Amino acid sequence: MELQERLNEVRSHIAAAERQAGRKAGSVQLVAVSKTFDADQIRPAIAAGQRVFGENRVQESQSKWPELKAETPGIELHLIGPLQSNKAADAVALFDVIETIDREKIARALADEMKRQNKAVRLYVQVNTGLEPQKAGIAPDDTVAFVGLCRKELGLSVEGLMCIPPAEENPGPHFALLAKLAKQAGVEKLSMGMSSDYEIAVAFGATSVRVGSAIFGAR
């Protein structure tokens, strides 16, 4: 199957999941995860009308996205991988959305950089819903207070929460927990669901899903 066919298939599955959940058509944004794929492999997705992409690493993104963004206006680039504070300046310069704020040090670095670069980047807090020690993200019990700190003390505009459920568990309870925390924290956006479970995420209220292998193929 060609990339455009796979992309259209994912779009149709999202639309069907929206209908099944009684949600408005087009209420879920597709973030095409292009990590590890080079510019030439990404261009067919852009040609097929995809404009929102996700990347895991700042350095890898710098090698391809400035050129791709220059070629096609209107691309929205999301950082969906862990961010080190020493990469905050580069991340603010390149990305439109950063989904992986998970500690005060990163939040402060981003606040300083956005002020310095006079650029407003949209922000999400990553929540470690499974409390997995090897995975980034703030603990669920700390989420509401952390969003409050980001907003009130640092002046950051946090618009959503993001999670990656444990691979071996049913994702539904994790998506439900993220939705509950978002309500408690007063944020509207939910970034949840990947290639294996994005339709489930739509049922639990995802406003964006991060789909890579189902579009680009196996890495």
Side-chain angles (χ1 to χ4, degrees):
M1 198 185 290
E2 294 295 320
L3 184 146
Q4 187 162 355
E5 291 177 275
R6 294 194 297 266
L7 180 58
N8 287 337
E9 189 173 76
V10 169
R11 288 169 172 164
S12 68
H13 286 172
I14 290 171
E18 287 172 337
R19 287 193 299 273
Q20 195 167 347
R23 297 181 59 184
K24 183 180 173 186
S27 58
V28 180
Q29 182 184 64
L30 171 59
V31 180
V33 179
S34 49
K35 65 179 184 180
T36 77
F37 292 98
D38 63 27
D40 285 340
Q41 293 170 296
I42 296 168
R43 283 189 179 96
I46 296 173
Q50 182 64 26
R51 292 293 179 270
V52 186
F53 292 86
E55 289 280 346
N56 264 39
R57 299 178 187 279
V58 174
Q59 198 164 347
E60 180 194 338
S61 304
Q62 288 174 311
S63 71
K64 54 190 175 182
W65 279 105
E67 180 184 2
L68 290 170
K69 278 187 154 192
E71 289 171 5
T72 307
I75 284 187
E76 181 177 293
L77 192 59
H78 292 226
L79 180 62
I80 60 171
L83 177 62
Q84 303 301 319
S85 54
N86 65 349
K87 294 287 184 184
D90 292 335
V92 168
L94 181 58
F95 289 91
D96 304 289
V97 182
I98 295 173
E99 298 197 11
T100 50
I101 301 176
D102 63 351
R103 57 197 186 281
E104 187 175 341
K105 184 179 180 182
I106 287 295
R108 288 189 180 279
L110 289 172
D112 291 343
E113 276 304 323
M114 284 194 278
K115 197 174 289 184
R116 193 176 69 80
Q117 297 185 32
N118 193 29
K119 183 184 176 189
V121 178
R122 291 158 49 207
L123 303 173
Y124 287 61
V125 167
Q126 182 172 353
V127 183
N128 188 346
T129 56
L131 293 171
E132 296 174 275
Q134 80 282 11
K135 197 173 280 181
I138 196 151
D141 287 350
D142 299 331
T143 300
V144 175
F146 182 67
V147 170
L149 179 142
C150 288
R151 285 174 162 173
K152 294 167 189 168
E153 190 175 327
L154 304 180
L156 294 173
S157 182
V158 176
E159 71 173 33
L161 303 181
M162 179 267 232
C163 76
I164 306 169
E168 70 284 355
E169 292 186 20
N170 175 4
H174 295 274
F175 296 154
L177 173 59
L178 198 73
K180 178 184 170 186
L181 291 170
K183 279 186 181 173
Q184 291 173 349
V187 299
E188 294 182 357
K189 302 288 182 71
L190 290 168
S191 173
M192 56 191 196
M194 299 187 289
S195 286
S196 62
D197 57 18
Y198 66 89
E199 291 160 284
I200 300 169
V202 172
F204 280 94
T207 57
S208 62
V209 293
R210 310 179 305 274
V211 181
S213 57
I215 295 170
F216 289 99
R219 290 185 170 81

